[in-house]
Amino acid sequence: LVAATRSLLLAAIAPSPDRLEEAGAVINHALLERARQCVQDNLQNPVLDVNFILRGLGVSRSRLYRLFEASGGIMHYIQKRRLLAAHKVLADPLSRRRIFEVAEDFCFNDAAEFSRAFRREFAYSPSDVRARRQRPSTDRMQGNPYAKDLTDLLKRMQS
C-alpha cells in the first residue's frame, strides 16, 4: 500500500511514462493481493463469486478479469483455491470428515462434481488422497527427535 501510494503520488506530481507505468503496476499488484486475500478468506462462503469480489474491491468487472487473466480467470482461481484447501483437509490424517462433507464445506453442489473437478486439477481422485494419507507416526507421538528417512524429516519440518 505504501509503495502503491508513493508511485501514485510521484506519477501525479511529476508524470512521466515510466512513473505512470510503475504506478499502474504497483497498484495492480496491490489490487491482486487484496483480491487473493478476499478469496482466501471466503473459500467456504457460498456467495463467493465475481460480484462478491467486485463489491469488496470496488473495481470494474473488466479490471478484475484482467487482474486474473494469467491465472485462467477469477472463477478458475476461486475453484483452484477451494480444491487446494479441500485437498489439505482430505490429506490430514487426523480428519474424519467424509469426502462429500469436505465438498460441501468448499461450496461444491455434489460429491460427483467435486470429484470431477478434483481429478481435473490433481490427476487423481479425492479417495486416492484418503488412501495415501498416513496416521501420525508413533515415534513422533512419543517424542522421538530423529527422522527415520527423508520423507519423515520433510513431514516433521512441515508440521
Side-chain angles (χ1 to χ4, degrees), residues 9-43:
L9 287 173
L10 285 173
I13 293 169
S16 71
D18 290 341
R19 285 186 173 162
L20 291 173
E21 186 178 328
E22 180 185 345
V26 172
I27 291 168
N28 282 339
H29 178 73
L31 269 175
L32 182 60
E33 287 307 310
R34 282 184 49 213
R36 287 179 175 162
Q37 190 61 52
C38 179
V39 169
Q40 193 62 38
D41 292 345
N42 291 283
L43 288 177

Side-chain angles (χ1 to χ4, degrees), residues 79 82-83 86 102-111 113-114 117:
Q79 184 176 53
R82 284 178 166 161
L83 289 169
V102 174
E104 285 177 349
D105 282 350
F106 291 100
C107 307
F108 286 87
N109 294 330
D110 61 56
E113 174 194 345
F114 173 70

Side-chain angles (χ1 to χ4, degrees), residues 6 9 26 30 40 50 54 59 73 92 114 124 135 145-146 148-149:
R6 180 182 176 280
L9 287 173
V26 172
Q40 193 62 38
V50 172
L54 288 175
V59 298
D92 181 1
F114 173 70
Y124 49 85
R135 299 281 172 222
Y146 302 106
K148 35 184 191 191
D149 57 22

Side-chain angles (χ1 to χ4, degrees), residues 39-65:
V39 169
Q40 193 62 38
D41 292 345
N42 291 283
L43 288 177
Q44 294 180 313
N45 185 344
V47 298
L48 176 63
D49 64 2
V50 172
N51 291 325
F52 182 88
I53 297 170
L54 288 175
R55 284 190 303 276
L57 293 180
V59 298
S60 70
R61 184 176 297 272
S62 58
R63 183 150 190 200
L64 182 66
Y65 286 157

